[in-house]
Amino acid sequence: MRPGHAVAPRSDDGWGVLSYLLTGVFLWGGLGWLGDDLLGTAFLLPVGLVLGAALAVYTVYVRFGRDPLSTPECGTRPEAQEGRR
Protein backbone atom coordinates (compact mmCIF):
# COMPACT_ATOMS: atom_id res chain seq x y z
CA MET A 1 0.00 0.00 0.00
CA ARG A 2 1.26 3.45 -0.85
CA PRO A 3 1.68 6.05 1.89
CA GLY A 4 -0.99 8.70 1.98
CA HIS A 5 -3.80 6.48 0.74
CA ALA A 6 -6.51 5.88 3.33
CA VAL A 7 -8.01 2.47 3.83
CA ALA A 8 -11.79 2.35 3.65
CA PRO A 9 -13.44 0.82 6.72
CA ARG A 10 -14.79 -2.66 6.22
CA SER A 11 -18.54 -2.93 5.87
CA ASP A 12 -18.92 -5.13 8.96
CA ASP A 13 -17.04 -2.78 11.34
CA GLY A 14 -20.32 -1.23 12.52
CA TRP A 15 -21.65 -4.61 13.59
CA GLY A 16 -18.39 -5.31 15.39
CA VAL A 17 -18.58 -2.04 17.31
CA LEU A 18 -22.22 -2.68 18.24
CA SER A 19 -21.45 -6.21 19.40
CA TYR A 20 -18.58 -5.02 21.62
CA LEU A 21 -20.77 -2.34 23.19
CA LEU A 22 -23.72 -4.64 23.84
CA THR A 23 -21.56 -7.48 25.10
CA GLY A 24 -19.74 -5.23 27.56
CA VAL A 25 -22.95 -3.82 29.00
CA PHE A 26 -24.73 -7.19 29.19
CA LEU A 27 -21.76 -9.12 30.55
CA TRP A 28 -20.74 -6.68 33.28
CA GLY A 29 -24.35 -5.70 34.00
CA GLY A 30 -25.20 -9.39 34.35
CA LEU A 31 -22.31 -9.93 36.72
CA GLY A 32 -23.46 -6.92 38.73
CA TRP A 33 -27.02 -8.26 38.85
CA LEU A 34 -25.75 -11.67 39.94
CA GLY A 35 -23.58 -10.08 42.62
CA ASP A 36 -26.52 -8.02 43.87
CA ASP A 37 -28.72 -11.11 43.98
CA LEU A 38 -26.16 -13.23 45.84
CA LEU A 39 -25.00 -10.56 48.26
CA GLY A 40 -28.33 -8.80 48.81
CA THR A 41 -26.98 -5.41 47.74
CA ALA A 42 -28.39 -2.87 45.29
CA PHE A 43 -25.32 -1.07 43.93
CA LEU A 44 -23.46 -3.69 41.89
CA LEU A 45 -25.86 -3.65 38.90
CA PRO A 46 -25.36 0.08 38.17
CA VAL A 47 -21.63 -0.25 38.79
CA GLY A 48 -21.49 -3.23 36.42
CA LEU A 49 -23.44 -1.39 33.72
CA VAL A 50 -21.21 1.69 33.88
CA LEU A 51 -18.02 -0.36 34.08
CA GLY A 52 -19.15 -2.54 31.17
CA ALA A 53 -19.95 0.48 29.03
CA ALA A 54 -16.62 2.14 29.82
CA LEU A 55 -14.61 -1.01 29.10
CA ALA A 56 -16.57 -1.59 25.90
CA VAL A 57 -15.86 1.94 24.66
CA TYR A 58 -12.16 1.48 25.45
CA THR A 59 -12.14 -1.89 23.65
CA VAL A 60 -13.80 -0.34 20.60
CA TYR A 61 -11.20 2.44 20.59
CA VAL A 62 -8.32 -0.02 20.78
CA ARG A 63 -9.80 -2.38 18.20
CA PHE A 64 -11.33 0.02 15.66
CA GLY A 65 -10.18 3.55 16.49
CA ARG A 66 -6.59 3.48 15.34
CA ASP A 67 -5.46 4.58 11.91
CA PRO A 68 -4.10 1.51 10.12
CA LEU A 69 -1.52 3.63 8.30
CA SER A 70 -0.02 5.03 11.50
CA THR A 71 0.91 1.66 13.03
CA PRO A 72 3.82 -0.34 11.63
CA GLU A 73 3.20 -3.80 10.28
CA CYS A 74 4.06 -6.74 12.48
CA GLY A 75 7.70 -7.68 12.37
CA THR A 76 8.92 -4.57 10.59
CA ARG A 77 11.12 -1.91 12.04
CA PRO A 78 11.56 1.50 10.39
CA GLU A 79 15.35 1.27 10.59
CA ALA A 80 15.26 -2.11 8.83
CA GLN A 81 13.22 -0.63 5.97
CA GLU A 82 15.63 2.23 5.14
CA GLY A 83 17.52 0.31 2.48
CA ARG A 84 14.39 -0.83 0.66
CA ARG A 85 12.87 1.70 -1.70
Side-chain angles (χ1 to χ4, degrees), residues 51-77:
L51 182 65
L55 289 173
V57 168
Y58 176 72
T59 304
V60 166
Y61 170 73
V62 168
R63 174 70 174 88
F64 296 100
R66 296 187 179 176
D67 183 16
L69 296 177
S70 66
T71 57
E73 295 179 22
C74 293
T76 61
R77 295 187 321 250

Side-chain angles (χ1 to χ4, degrees), residues 79-85:
E79 59 271 6
Q81 298 294 326
E82 288 179 9
R84 296 185 200 172
R85 297 221 191 240

Side-chain angles (χ1 to χ4, degrees), residues 19-33:
S19 67
Y20 275 111
L21 293 174
L22 291 176
T23 300
V25 170
F26 283 129
L27 176 70
W28 288 97
L31 289 174
W33 173 80

Side-chain angles (χ1 to χ4, degrees), residues 9-60:
R10 296 187 346 223
S11 63
D12 59 344
D13 281 351
W15 290 110
V17 168
L18 181 64
S19 67
Y20 275 111
L21 293 174
L22 291 176
T23 300
V25 170
F26 283 129
L27 176 70
W28 288 97
L31 289 174
W33 173 80
L34 183 63
D36 276 341
D37 193 46
L38 292 174
L39 300 173
T41 59
F43 69 92
L44 292 177
L45 174 61
V47 169
L49 291 172
V50 171
L51 182 65
L55 289 173
V57 168
Y58 176 72
T59 304
V60 166

